[in-house]
Amino acid sequence: MRPSPARLHVAGWLALALSLLAGLTIGGSGLGVGAALAALGGRGDDFALTVMREIRLPRALLAAAVGAALSLAGLLMQAVFINPLADPYIVGAASGASLGAALAILAGLSLSYAGQSGVAMCAFLGALAAVALAWRIAGGARRTDPFRLLLTGVALGMLVSALTSLLMLLSRTALEQAFFWLVGGFAAASWPQLPPVLITLGIALVFGAPAMAAMNLLLLGDESAGRLGIDPARLRTRLILLATLLTGAAVAAAGVVSFVGLMVPHALRRVAGPDHRTLFWLCPLWGAAALCAADAAGRWASGALAGGREIPVGVITAAIGVPLMLALLRRR
Amino acid sequence: MRCASAWLLAGLPLWMIAQTAQSSATTRMRLADDRGRVFAPTGQPPRLVSVMPALTEALFATGRGGRLVAASNYCDHPPAAAGLPKIGGPLDPNYERILALKPDRVLVMDMVPGPVQSKLSSLGLPVVYLREPRTLAEISRWMTRVDEFGRTMGEMDAPPPLAIGAFDAELARLTVPGSPRTGCLIVSPGQPLWTAGRDTFLDDLLKTAGCRNLAADYSGWAAIELEQIAKLRPDWLLYLGKPAAPGSPLDRLVRARKLKTLVLDENSASRPGPRILAVLRQVETALGTLPAHEPATGPTSQPPAPDSPPPAPHAP
């Protein structure tokens, strides 16, 4: 017996509210829950207001936005490749972003535009360039075979990763900084990082929503989908473009955060069923809640277990997500 | 007319002296970091946060360590620094903790990434950026700068701490004159192998010790291949932190080429600060380049026999 989509929506909003609450009340400064909530309402001293407005609020919201973007991107990639193991990085977005970021770090690029750092902009462009190259080599819009793109993306991703490793060996300081960036996280989250992710998310929701039913038809195979009036190659191109924009924006804001883009769509498919008309809205909602909660859990663990040392959010998503995923797999 | 000229001639030097004195006083009342950000000295002893171990060591060396209210997780020297509240690492500081400490100065260096420095500044924290020194002489000037940011307004006219004068004097005594002869290579064992190229203070340390850095073609800290080490044929291989693991390819190369080795304390040799001179003395003692007037101290290592066990790690 599957829970109804309406129930999952209500539960998702509740989970998001709770994870945001956790994100806003957990931190290393000793600001208590009461003081944090008062600061959220605009009351408190300068210190409390700064912690809330400049550290916790942008951090929790960015984690939620990135979680939503990566989960939706994961869903779109899984629909494109008709494969539940596909994730947002499968056609080379992460390796492209990493190369862009490593180049910027190595070049000591310190310029920023409209609050976006040079490293973030290079990462975004790197992600787009890597996927565009894989798509072009795989035959572009003329080819309908998704596995060709998949293999091209994986192969190209390896080449780009090798280039990144080569670059990182040129400088020890750059290696350490690039490695830290690659691990991903929200410690340095700031307000200007939020709009690009939210705008991309909005674009993906607006232009992806009309394709929800068509994504279901892709599951029937290209021939059947074609007979039902769908152009599979065109649909895939559109979905890949949206997924790449989402992934590029997410990676530029937070580095390569692993697992959430794979786990959330996969887990929701097991709970809610394979209908993309439901999953399309549930994925960003639960993805936002999951990553925001993981980041809050990381901050709690940082204070309680790691002596104040920041635990990368990717470690937390894997630590919480893997047992959850295994439990779901055992249940069915 | 002649009277006016005489007044002018007499008054001009006085006016210039007054202007110079005023300008000097104004300069003393303002401190600029290496990004050009200007800070006014505080009336009370400033509350300092150090995000790098080298900065912490420099502050303690110049007698300003007591003004540190927190330091990074890696600040372990001197022992008093280990007891300070911790604020995370240079790459991942805990912003909330730093903010809660209400510091007057947050001291950072190149290792702290730009986005982290930007985030600290965006929180209204007074971030002081001091560029990493690239020569031993620059370390002295750099320590003077670190010391200045730990002073109060009333202390701005005080002479530099004795530690800096002692550093300069010892550096002068230890500087080996003449053109360098012995070929050396500094290697941090591991995967990959890292070597200190030009534009690092260790490159300058080798020159000061009377040796040639064979990795001077590399810029900064760079990965170096094993075959390249074999090709460069160093007389001495200076290990940073620990020697090559017994039986490892580097260890086999050292034995096959009968390279002389020396183990340098990683923290002392990788942080710009007063302890670098102990490393310099250790290198000179080992290489036999120590100026004649200096007492030879510090451990050395002889070239290993092909079948002998690897040299035990030494600390300066």
Side-chain angles (χ1 to χ4, degrees):
Chain A
M1 176 76 182
R2 286 197 165 116
S4 69
R7 266 190 183 186
L8 286 169
H9 271 286
V10 171
W13 283 109
L14 200 62
L16 179 59
L18 286 174
S19 62
L20 281 171
L21 190 66
L24 296 176
T25 50
I26 296 172
S29 63
L31 191 70
V33 176
L37 292 176
L40 190 62
R43 295 186 307 280
D45 58 12
D46 270 359
F47 166 67
L49 291 176
T50 309
V51 166
M52 183 51 66
R53 288 176 184 168
E54 299 302 329
I55 298 179
R56 294 191 187 175
L57 209 48
R59 182 171 181 158
L61 292 177
L62 188 68
V66 167
L70 287 177
S71 301
L72 186 56
L75 178 76
L76 299 182
M77 285 301 193
Q78 289 175 7
V80 165
F81 295 109
I82 322 173
N83 188 334
L85 288 177
D87 78 350
Y89 309 131
I90 199 154
V91 274
S95 37
S98 305
L99 180 62
L103 271 171
I105 289 170
L106 195 67
L109 203 65
S110 58
L111 57 93
S112 63
Y113 180 73
Q116 310 303 315
S117 74
V119 175
M121 286 190 281
C122 287
F124 181 70
L125 293 175
L128 296 193
V131 177
L133 191 62
W135 182 79
R136 188 77 191 84
I137 292 173
R142 290 174 287 111
R143 296 275 185 171
T144 56
D145 183 7
F147 299 106
R148 193 183 167 93
L149 175 63
L150 187 68
L151 287 173
T152 313
V154 169
L156 204 66
M158 286 176 180
L159 178 68
V160 171
S161 296
L163 279 175
T164 310
S165 304
L166 189 69
L167 280 181
M168 283 159 64
L169 286 179
L170 293 178
S171 158
R172 196 175 190 178
T173 308
L175 169 76
E176 283 166 346
Q177 294 190 3
F179 177 77
F180 221 80
W181 186 87
L182 292 178
V183 169
F186 301 98
S190 58
W191 285 111
Q193 289 177 295
L194 203 53
V197 188
L198 289 178
I199 290 168
T200 317
L201 193 59
I203 290 171
L205 288 172
V206 168
F207 290 95
M212 288 187 298
M215 283 195 278
N216 283 343
L217 297 180
L218 273 185
L219 296 174
L220 303 172
D222 283 8
E223 214 169 294
S224 309
R227 276 204 293 275
L228 292 167
I230 301 293
D231 180 347
R234 208 168 156 177
L235 178 61
R236 283 203 179 91
T237 303
R238 178 176 173 178
L239 297 181
I240 287 170
L241 177 66
L242 294 178
T244 306
L245 284 172
L246 285 168
T247 311
V251 171
V256 183
V257 178
S258 60
F259 213 64
V260 70
L262 171 72
M263 180 194 72
V264 171
H266 194 58
L268 280 173
R269 190 174 283 109
R270 289 197 157 254
V271 175
D275 190 346
H276 285 89
R277 290 172 300 180
T278 308
L279 293 172
F280 187 83
W281 302 110
L282 283 178
C283 271
L285 180 59
W286 279 94
L291 202 53
C292 188
D295 185 49
R299 263 181 287 168
W300 173 80
S302 154
L305 310 172
R309 181 170 297 181
E310 186 85 24
I311 297 177
V313 72
V315 173
I316 303 293
T317 51
I320 298 173
V322 171
L324 202 74
M325 188 89 167
L326 292 176
L328 278 171
L329 286 171
R330 270 179 72 88
R331 217 181 63 175
R332 290 177 189 273
Chain B
M1 185 68 191
R2 283 174 71 181
C3 185
S5 299
W7 274 108
L8 194 65
L9 282 171
L12 192 63
L14 288 174
W15 179 80
M16 284 171 72
I17 290 166
Q19 284 298 309
T20 311
Q22 192 184 353
S23 156
S24 160
T26 311
T27 308
R28 282 199 302 276
M29 292 302 119
R30 294 170 61 190
L31 287 166
D33 74 352
D34 288 339
R35 290 206 198 286
R37 281 174 296 214
V38 176
F39 299 82
T42 52
Q44 297 296 314
R47 294 170 59 81
L48 307 174
V49 167
S50 162
V51 187
M52 294 288 295
L55 290 161
T56 304
E57 288 195 28
L59 283 165
F60 274 100
T62 55
R64 310 285 176 208
R67 291 175 183 180
L68 278 165
V69 291
S72 86
N73 289 6
Y74 301 99
C75 295
D76 53 3
H77 186 87
L84 286 167
K86 299 297 182 214
I87 49 88
L91 302 177
D92 60 338
N94 189 315
Y95 300 98
E96 286 195 25
R97 281 194 184 178
I98 298 176
L99 203 58
L101 292 164
K102 297 185 168 53
D104 297 307
R105 310 264 187 265
V106 179
L107 300 165
V108 303
M109 287 168 68
D110 304 64
M111 184 67 201
V112 181
V116 172
Q117 292 187 36
S118 304
K119 179 71 188 178
L120 289 166
S121 297
S122 75
L123 295 173
L125 291 164
V127 179
V128 177
Y129 162 76
L130 294 171
R131 191 176 296 114
E132 181 163 316
R134 293 181 175 182
T135 63
L136 299 188
E138 273 186 28
I139 291 179
S140 166
R141 291 195 288 274
W142 174 82
M143 285 199 297
T144 307
R145 304 261 291 135
V146 175
D147 170 63
E148 281 174 353
F149 281 97
R151 292 182 175 211
T152 61
M153 194 181 290
E155 292 165 341
M156 292 311 285
D157 286 332
L162 292 175
I164 292 174
F167 183 95
D168 290 339
E170 192 173 1
L171 177 59
R173 281 201 307 273
L174 288 173
T175 300
V176 177
S179 56
R181 295 173 305 277
T182 317
C184 292
L185 207 56
I186 293 177
V187 170
S188 176
Q191 185 61 32
L193 297 164
W194 292 98
T195 190
R198 65 174 185 278
D199 297 334
T200 62
F201 60 83
L202 284 179
D203 174 66
D204 188 54
L205 181 140
L206 292 180
K207 284 180 201 153
T208 310
C211 8
R212 274 184 309 130
N213 182 12
L214 299 179
D217 286 345
Y218 294 82
S219 174
W221 278 93
I224 187 166
E225 235 187 310
L226 204 58
E227 282 195 27
Q228 190 65 18
I229 297 176
K231 189 180 157 193
L232 290 169
R233 300 184 76 109
D235 299 306
W236 281 85
L237 199 63
L238 309 182
Y239 290 124
L240 199 62
K242 59 181 189 300
S248 67
L250 180 59
D251 181 54
R252 286 205 293 274
L253 174 76
V254 166
R255 286 162 182 279
R257 291 272 187 184
K258 295 190 175 60
L259 302 183
K260 288 174 272 191
T261 61
L262 179 68
V263 181
L264 309 176
D265 178 61
E266 187 169 16
N267 286 348
S268 305
S270 59
R271 300 175 185 172
R275 289 199 290 166
I276 199 69
L277 293 184
V279 178
L280 177 62
R281 180 181 287 273
Q282 184 197 2
V283 172
E284 290 181 359
T285 306
L287 272 65
T289 57
L290 192 70
H293 51 80
E294 284 298 303
T297 53
T300 61
S301 159
Q302 293 305 311
D307 297 317
S308 67
H314 299 295

